[in-house]
């Protein structure tokens, strides 16, 4: 079963929506015009209910099928990134320093396309909640919607997400059961020593040396303490200390990121980070501090929903073009919060461009409009497959 014919018919309109959104990017929780555009389209399509202002700019559309039945949620993200676009496309961002560099414009357009078709046909038994979330890029819009009662106001049994994937060619889908994207946490380490003259180091206690030792010591967290068959990353991404050539500063600060899949690994690294900082501080005769800030949890797909989404994707592009056991990605994804609360599947939709460096978050990135009908058809077929009429 190829893409839905009716959706192919309005491909040109979906392209127009996508390029309009692309030209007018809005950052996290500022998606005011984007949300207005989404809500207006949903009303035009005749969906049963449109709820706005959830987590500031989130929108939920409700479509009831021809028969009663269970409910599922389909989620798209709407926010852009603080990047100066260099795609050179005619529809490039009109807003300096802001850009749809992760394809959320495409995700929004695809879910709108699905909404239009589902509202026209309603060939399913149950309810579909179309979730347009704000602030996926680091500001936890999904969590904010959950905190504002997303699942209580719109009780859904399962929830599904989709993201474009430049490393896969158009016409391919990929997903995996279990952890698919990593948990992303950040840390700040401080060493407080005693400043002194750079020529007389014995008169102080040098936090720069402690910081250097700490960076080295942290390497054991992954290399020696994490199961080689598990995955983790610990990266120190910033070291700051001192302002002069001849002054030993009294303080050094390190920033970094931790990526993990397993909760036990995440807990262990957080605990051991603290122990290493205290151990290094003691060895270098200073005080050490650690602030560990948990970000997005790992994105963990449930096996049954992954099988269902793979079958639906296979019905569109052929089973040979679906990789249901794709390797996980060390990036993080806000949809993880929804998957903590409901079973579901987050899939990757190939769109190409990766081999030329047009990857997500790059200033030359652009969503590939060719795949709009494919993503929208996936949503429609998923609904019809999961909520069959009797
Ligand atoms: Ni994204």
């Amino acid at each position: 079963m190829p893409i839905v014919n009716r959706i192919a018919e309005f491909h040109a309109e979906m392209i127009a929506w996508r390029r309009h959104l692309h030209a007018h990017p809005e950052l996290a929780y500022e998606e005011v015009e984007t949300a207005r555009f989404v809500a207006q389209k949903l009303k035009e399509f005749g969906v049963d209910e449109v709820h706005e202002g959830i987590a500031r700019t989130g929108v939920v559309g409700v479509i009831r099928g021809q028969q009663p039945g269970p409910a599922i949620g389909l989620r798209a993200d709407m926010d852009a990134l603080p990047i100066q676009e260099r795609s050179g496309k005619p529809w490039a961002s009109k807003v300096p320093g802001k850009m749809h560099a992760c394809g959320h414009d495409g995700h929004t357009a695809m879910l709108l396309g699905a909404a239009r078709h589902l509202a026209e046909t309603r060939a399913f038994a149950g309810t579909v909640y179309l979730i347009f979330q704000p602030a996926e890029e680091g500001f936890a819009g999904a969590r904010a919607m959950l905190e504002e009662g997303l699942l209580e106001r719109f009780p859904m049994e399962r929830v599904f997400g989709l993201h474009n994937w430049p490393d896969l060619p158009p016409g391919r889908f990929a997903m995996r059961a279990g952890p698919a994207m990593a948990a992303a946490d950040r840390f700040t380490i401080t060493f407080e020593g005693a400043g002194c003259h750079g020529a007389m180091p014995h008169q102080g206690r040098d936090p720069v040396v402690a910081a250097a030792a700490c960076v080295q010591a942290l390497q054991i967290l992954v290399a020696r303490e994490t199961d080689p068959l598990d995955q983790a990353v610990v990266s120190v991404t910033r070291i700051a200390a001192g302002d002069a050539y001849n002054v030993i500063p009294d303080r050094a600060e390190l920033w970094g990121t931790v990526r993990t899949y397993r909760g036990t690994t995440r807990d262990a690294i957080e605990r051991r980070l603290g122990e290493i900082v205290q151990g290094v501080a003691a060895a270098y005769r200073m005080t050490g501090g650690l602030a560990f800030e948990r970000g997005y949890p790992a994105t963990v797909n449930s096996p049954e929903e992954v099988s269902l989404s793979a079958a639906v994707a296979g019905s569109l592009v052929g089973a040979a073009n679906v990789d249901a056991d794709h390797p996980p990605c060390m990036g993080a994804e806000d949809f993880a919060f929804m998957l903590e609360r409901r079973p579901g599947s987050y899939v990757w939709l190939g769109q190409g461009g990766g081999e030329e460096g047009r990857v997500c978050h790059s200033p030359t990135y652009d969503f590939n409009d060719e795949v709009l009908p494919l993503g929208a058809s996936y949503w429609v077929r998923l609904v019809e497959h999961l909520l069959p009429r009797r």
Side-chain angles (χ1 to χ4, degrees):
M1 182 190 291
I3 60 168
V4 179
N5 284 333
R6 174 72 183 118
I7 289 176
E9 280 171 23
F10 58 78
H11 189 179
E13 281 174 81
M14 292 174 71
I15 291 175
W17 307 338
R18 206 286 293 181
R19 293 182 181 177
H20 169 79
L21 294 171
H22 191 87
H24 303 93
E26 296 175 299
L27 301 183
Y29 297 117
E30 296 172 358
E31 306 94 336
V32 174
E33 294 303 324
T34 306
R36 190 170 295 158
F37 180 87
V38 165
Q40 188 206 323
K41 286 279 170 243
L42 292 175
K43 288 171 190 166
E44 273 175 32
F45 303 155
V47 310
D48 295 302
E49 298 168 27
V50 179
H51 299 263
E52 299 172 67
I54 305 169
R56 283 187 253 180
T57 47
V59 180
V60 175
V62 184
I63 306 177
R64 293 188 194 87
Q66 291 168 4
Q67 298 169 345
I72 62 171
L74 311 179
R75 171 276 204 174
D77 38 19
M78 302 189 290
D79 57 321
L81 284 156
I83 294 175
Q84 180 63 42
E85 179 159 357
R86 288 196 284 109
S87 73
K89 297 285 172 64
W91 51 88
S93 172
K94 295 189 191 306
V95 187
K98 298 181 187 177
M99 174 189 176
H100 269 295
C102 201
H104 299 184
D105 48 347
H107 303 163
T108 299
M110 289 189 288
L111 191 54
L112 284 175
R116 178 174 178 171
H117 187 76
L118 290 168
E120 278 176 8
T121 55
R122 300 175 188 262
F124 59 95
T127 304
V128 174
Y129 296 118
L130 309 147
I131 306 163
F132 295 87
Q133 78 150 80
E136 192 285 322
E137 297 286 357
F139 295 92
R143 185 174 62 196
M145 287 187 88
L146 291 166
E147 285 169 355
E148 293 197 11
L150 179 72
L151 299 177
E152 293 73 27
R153 292 176 64 183
F154 310 102
M156 59 194 84
E157 276 110 77
R158 305 166 172 190
V159 66
F160 294 85
L162 177 155
H163 204 291
N164 75 92
W165 213 242
D167 287 337
L168 291 168
R172 300 192 65 135
F173 282 84
M175 64 287 286
R176 74 176 283 111
M181 308 273 289
D185 304 324
R186 54 172 66 171
F187 60 83
T188 302
I189 295 168
T190 50
F191 290 107
E192 305 267 1
C196 61
H197 198 297
M200 287 157 266
H202 60 289
Q203 293 177 346
R205 287 173 283 118
D206 188 352
V208 172
V209 183
C214 185
V215 173
Q216 294 285 7
L218 293 180
Q219 303 311 308
I220 68 170
L221 290 173
V222 175
R224 305 288 84 181
E225 298 188 6
T226 301
D227 180 341
L229 298 180
D230 189 8
Q231 295 96 356
V233 177
V234 177
S235 292
V236 174
T237 53
R238 180 175 186 266
I239 302 181
D243 296 296
Y245 285 101
N246 59 351
V247 177
I248 289 173
D250 55 11
R251 187 172 194 278
E253 188 172 272
L254 312 178
W255 293 357
T257 187
V258 175
R259 306 292 167 119
T260 51
Y261 289 114
R262 294 182 190 162
T264 49
T265 308
R266 190 186 200 190
D267 293 342
I269 287 180
E270 180 178 357
R271 189 188 74 246
R272 289 286 295 139
L273 255 172
E275 290 171 2
I276 289 171
V277 168
Q278 291 312 317
V280 169
Y284 290 81
R285 299 178 299 135
M286 55 193 70
T287 48
L290 169 70
F292 193 92
E293 193 185 322
R294 290 198 171 209
Y296 294 172
T299 302
V300 183
N301 289 320
S302 40
E304 188 190 334
E305 280 67 28
V306 166
S307 299
L308 290 164
S309 62
V312 168
S315 77
L316 293 169
V317 296
N321 289 311
V322 178
D323 181 358
D325 189 26
H326 195 264
C329 166
M330 269 299 166
E333 165 60 55
D334 190 20
F335 188 61
F337 289 109
M338 295 193 185
L339 288 175
E340 281 189 330
R341 303 280 299 276
R342 290 292 181 274
S345 172
Y346 176 81
V347 308
W348 293 305
L349 170 63
Q351 74 145 26
E355 61 286 348
E356 286 113 45
R358 293 195 308 277
V359 292
C360 289
H361 297 208
S362 125
T364 57
Y365 171 89
D366 191 30
F367 184 84
N368 183 354
D369 289 320
E370 180 190 335
V371 306
L372 287 167
L374 205 48
S377 297
Y378 166 77
W379 285 134
V380 168
R381 294 296 180 224
L382 188 71
V383 169
E384 292 172 353
H385 187 72
L386 290 173
L387 307 176
R389 284 175 296 179
R390 287 172 293 278

